[in-house]
Amino acid sequence: MIVAVIGAGQCSQEQYDIAHEVGRLIAKSGAMLVSGGLTGVMEAASHGAKDAGGVTIGILPGSRKEDANPYIDIPIVTAASHMRNIIIANTADVIIAIFGSYGTLSEVAIALKLGKKVIGIDTWDIKGVIRAASPKEAVELAGTYES
Amino acid sequence: MIVAVIGAGQCSQEQYDIAHEVGRLIAKSGAMLVSGGLTGVMEAASHGAKDAGGVTIGILPGSRKEDANPYIDIPIVTAASHMRNIIIANTADVIIAIFGSYGTLSEVAIALKLGKKVIGIDTWDIKGVIRAASPKEAVELAGTYES
Amino acid sequence: MIVAVIGAGQCSQEQYDIAHEVGRLIAKSGAMLVSGGLTGVMEAASHGAKDAGGVTIGILPGSRKEDANPYIDIPIVTAASHMRNIIIANTADVIIAIFGSYGTLSEVAIALKLGKKVIGIDTWDIKGVIRAASPKEAVELAGTYES
Amino acid sequence: MIVAVIGAGQCSQEQYDIAHEVGRLIAKSGAMLVSGGLTGVMEAASHGAKDAGGVTIGILPGSRKEDANPYIDIPIVTAASHMRNIIIANTADVIIAIFGSYGTLSEVAIALKLGKKVIGIDTWDIKGVIRAASPKEAVELAGTYES
């Protein structure tokens, strides 16, 4: 199972901590983490996943794998700019959106269009997004924990 | 100048008429029309543009140019599925969104992310979208009419 | 009918003249020209097509339409880097390759994979490429002239 | 380090065995394997890599991760058709081409264009491709073994 964490490339320390915890719980649940592979929320979630011994995939927009944050195990170099958002949505079984601006919104929308489950923490209030109040609730809603 | 009209592949007759009028006014203003090239709002706007003697570009998601509606002059065959939405947003100077569901939302979001002017007729209520009450107002706001 | 001219972004004056003549004859035959929209062979062919009153499409690799050469009527902004080569091959009914290096080879290969007719002037000697000795022969082989 | 194995979706048993051995040696050298994730040479190399305990990435052209062969650990779902070839070339540090037809040729060409090292086993004879006589020689030339 692959869970995407999407969010902005810049975030506050508080947001970093939340995204880190989401990543940690995804890895602990046994799922792989996919993200855009860069800074901010993407890095925080990948950092958390690595702290829990998980596997992290970064779908990079540019042409250099060196752009990946240090917590990415598998850098996928698309050189496709914003098109890489669509690959993230296609690759994930479930998407967790954390805060985020227009880039995150475009990804939420395409994920909903693709019929994927989208969980949001303090993100865009779009019909179809399942709201979670905490990292724990978000990952539980993602359904990656085996019962 | 290139104006995109984005919207769903299925629409009511009333919506068709509105999109047709938008396309007609875009062509009359001297701008080219770009759309996703398929049915519904895309076809209606292209139909309107051709009725006014304009040029219509269709950025198709599939691999066959035969998928273009009959009002497309320039079929661009991307075979890139939803990624083609991003090419539409990149190609247009201004975007007019008409109604629409998640696909339209993803395109609105990416256009705003790219810093493009986005005008909406009865579409998603997203910060940054300039609302227009009529086709006439939408095309005037697009600013393609020369003063 | 849409004919692609593919080739390198840098070329000698002699090569420019040949590509210009190919573009001119494509336009004269009534077909539209699609290319990568940049310099060198792409510019030369577009220049020739405009001299004959044709329509020119440029499928640009970057994110700025200003990168198009001055002979492009319809700039398509992909921001998809080398992926745009595949859109050119998909969009064209016939491809004429002129000289060219690895980028041209990749496009010739993908066009042959897509089952498109590929005509070559002094280009890679790949099975499936129909060789033409002159611009005139290339455009005749493209089959865009109506009988 | 990530090594790509590229080749056709259909192959003979003898070709399967060669690609399997290439995949096995890549994994044994400590590198990850990336491929197109489907059948034929792609499956054979992934199969070999898994037999040696390696990590396998499949960059899929379609929209369903179920299309991946059973030896893929990390399915990347691009829905971008032939464009995914370019992502493979961008993602790999070194490319090993095995036999192959036009699809493989397009990938060899784009990899050479990107300045990547390309090693070939019984594949297209293109300037810049380093020829290897055996799986062992190919993986040694790839340079992934630490000295």
Side-chain angles (χ1 to χ4, degrees):
Chain A
M1 194 133 182
I2 300 181
V3 179
V5 169
I6 61 177
Q10 293 191 310
C11 67
S12 68
Q13 184 61 47
E14 191 192 346
Q15 294 176 329
Y16 194 98
D17 293 345
I18 290 171
H20 183 282
E21 180 67 3
V22 171
R24 197 182 68 79
L25 293 172
I26 288 169
K28 216 179 138 201
S29 80
M32 290 189 281
L33 173 71
V34 67
S35 73
L38 301 180
T39 53
V41 162
M42 300 171 261
E43 177 178 320
S46 303
H47 188 170
K50 289 314 297 174
D51 282 355
V55 172
T56 57
I57 307 161
I59 314 272
L60 301 165
S63 59
R64 294 157 27 91
K65 72 172 173 174
E66 291 75 17
D67 294 339
N69 69 61
Y71 307 103
I72 296 297
D73 297 319
I74 320 272
I76 305 295
V77 183
T78 70
S81 191
H82 299 298
M83 284 182 180
R84 74 88 140 79
N85 291 2
I86 293 172
I87 300 178
I88 295 172
N90 269 302
T91 295
D93 297 294
V94 189
I95 287 94
I96 301 178
I98 306 180
F99 321 109
S101 186
Y102 291 132
T104 302
L105 175 58
S106 78
E107 201 147 349
V108 164
I110 205 73
L112 291 168
K113 167 115 184 155
L114 293 170
K116 302 286 173 96
K117 189 194 280 190
V118 179
I119 296 152
I121 298 181
D122 204 5
T123 190
W124 294 87
D125 184 20
I126 298 296
K127 184 189 163 189
V129 176
I130 303 165
R131 305 179 79 165
S134 68
K136 186 162 176 291
E137 190 184 355
V139 179
E140 281 173 357
L141 284 165
T144 53
Y145 280 106
E146 294 176 21
S147 55
Chain B
M1 194 135 182
I2 301 180
V3 180
V5 170
I6 60 177
Q10 292 190 311
C11 66
S12 68
Q13 184 60 47
E14 190 190 348
Q15 294 175 327
Y16 193 98
D17 293 345
I18 289 170
H20 183 282
E21 181 66 3
V22 171
R24 197 182 67 78
L25 293 172
I26 288 169
K28 217 180 138 202
S29 80
M32 289 189 282
L33 173 71
V34 67
S35 74
L38 300 179
T39 53
V41 161
M42 301 172 261
E43 177 179 320
S46 304
H47 188 170
K50 290 312 297 173
D51 282 354
V55 172
T56 57
I57 307 161
I59 313 272
L60 301 165
S63 60
R64 294 157 26 91
K65 72 171 173 174
E66 291 75 18
D67 293 340
N69 69 61
Y71 307 103
I72 296 297
D73 296 319
I74 320 271
I76 306 295
V77 182
T78 70
S81 191
H82 299 298
M83 285 183 180
R84 74 83 141 84
N85 290 2
I86 292 172
I87 300 178
I88 295 172
N90 269 301
T91 295
D93 297 293
V94 189
I95 287 92
I96 301 177
I98 306 180
F99 322 108
S101 186
Y102 291 131
T104 301
L105 176 58
S106 77
E107 202 147 351
V108 164
I110 204 73
L112 291 168
K113 166 119 185 153
L114 293 169
K116 303 285 174 94
K117 189 193 280 188
V118 180
I119 296 151
I121 297 180
D122 203 6
T123 190
W124 293 87
D125 184 19
I126 298 296
K127 184 189 163 186
V129 175
I130 303 164
R131 304 178 78 165
S134 68
K136 187 162 175 291
E137 190 185 354
V139 179
E140 281 173 356
L141 285 165
T144 54
Y145 279 106
E146 295 175 21
S147 55
Chain C
M1 194 134 182
I2 300 181
V3 179
V5 170
I6 61 177
Q10 292 190 310
C11 67
S12 67
Q13 184 60 48
E14 190 191 346
Q15 293 175 329
Y16 193 98
D17 293 344
I18 289 170
H20 184 281
E21 180 67 3
V22 170
R24 198 181 68 80
L25 293 173
I26 288 169
K28 215 178 139 204
S29 80
M32 290 189 283
L33 174 71
V34 67
S35 74
L38 300 179
T39 53
V41 162
M42 300 172 261
E43 177 179 320
S46 304
H47 188 170
K50 289 313 296 174
D51 283 354
V55 173
T56 56
I57 307 161
I59 313 272
L60 300 165
S63 59
R64 294 158 26 90
K65 72 172 173 172
E66 292 74 19
D67 293 340
N69 69 61
Y71 307 103
I72 295 297
D73 296 319
I74 319 270
I76 305 295
V77 183
T78 69
S81 191
H82 299 298
M83 285 183 179
R84 73 86 140 81
N85 291 2
I86 293 172
I87 299 177
I88 296 172
N90 269 302
T91 295
D93 297 294
V94 188
I95 288 94
I96 301 177
I98 306 180
F99 321 110
S101 185
Y102 291 131
T104 302
L105 176 59
S106 77
E107 202 148 350
V108 163
I110 205 72
L112 291 168
K113 167 117 185 155
L114 293 169
K116 302 285 173 94
K117 188 194 280 190
V118 180
I119 296 151
I121 297 180
D122 204 5
T123 190
W124 294 86
D125 184 20
I126 298 296
K127 183 189 164 189
V129 176
I130 304 164
R131 307 178 77 166
S134 68
K136 186 161 177 291
E137 189 184 354
V139 180
E140 282 174 356
L141 285 165
T144 54
Y145 279 106
E146 293 175 21
S147 55
Chain D
M1 194 133 181
I2 300 181
V3 179
V5 169
I6 60 177
Q10 293 190 310
C11 66
S12 67
Q13 184 60 47
E14 189 191 347
Q15 294 175 328
Y16 194 98
D17 293 344
I18 289 170
H20 183 282
E21 180 66 4
V22 170
R24 198 181 69 78
L25 293 173
I26 288 169
K28 215 178 140 204
S29 79
M32 289 189 282
L33 174 72
V34 66
S35 73
L38 300 179
T39 52
V41 162
M42 301 171 261
E43 177 178 320
S46 304
H47 188 171
K50 289 313 296 174
D51 282 355
V55 172
T56 56
I57 307 161
I59 313 272
L60 300 166
S63 59
R64 294 156 28 91
K65 72 171 173 174
E66 291 75 18
D67 293 340
N69 70 61
Y71 307 103
I72 296 297
D73 296 320
I74 319 271
I76 306 294
V77 182
T78 71
S81 191
H82 299 298
M83 284 182 180
R84 73 83 139 82
N85 291 2
I86 293 172
I87 299 178
I88 296 172
N90 269 302
T91 295
D93 297 293
V94 189
I95 287 93
I96 300 177
I98 307 180
F99 322 110
S101 186
Y102 291 131
T104 301
L105 176 58
S106 78
E107 203 149 349
V108 164
I110 205 74
L112 291 168
K113 166 118 186 152
L114 293 169
K116 303 286 174 94
K117 189 194 279 190
V118 180
I119 296 151
I121 297 180
D122 203 5
T123 190
W124 293 87
D125 183 20
I126 298 295
K127 183 188 164 188
V129 176
I130 303 164
R131 306 179 78 165
S134 68
K136 186 161 176 291
E137 189 184 354
V139 179
E140 282 173 357
L141 285 165
T144 54
Y145 279 106
E146 296 175 21
S147 54

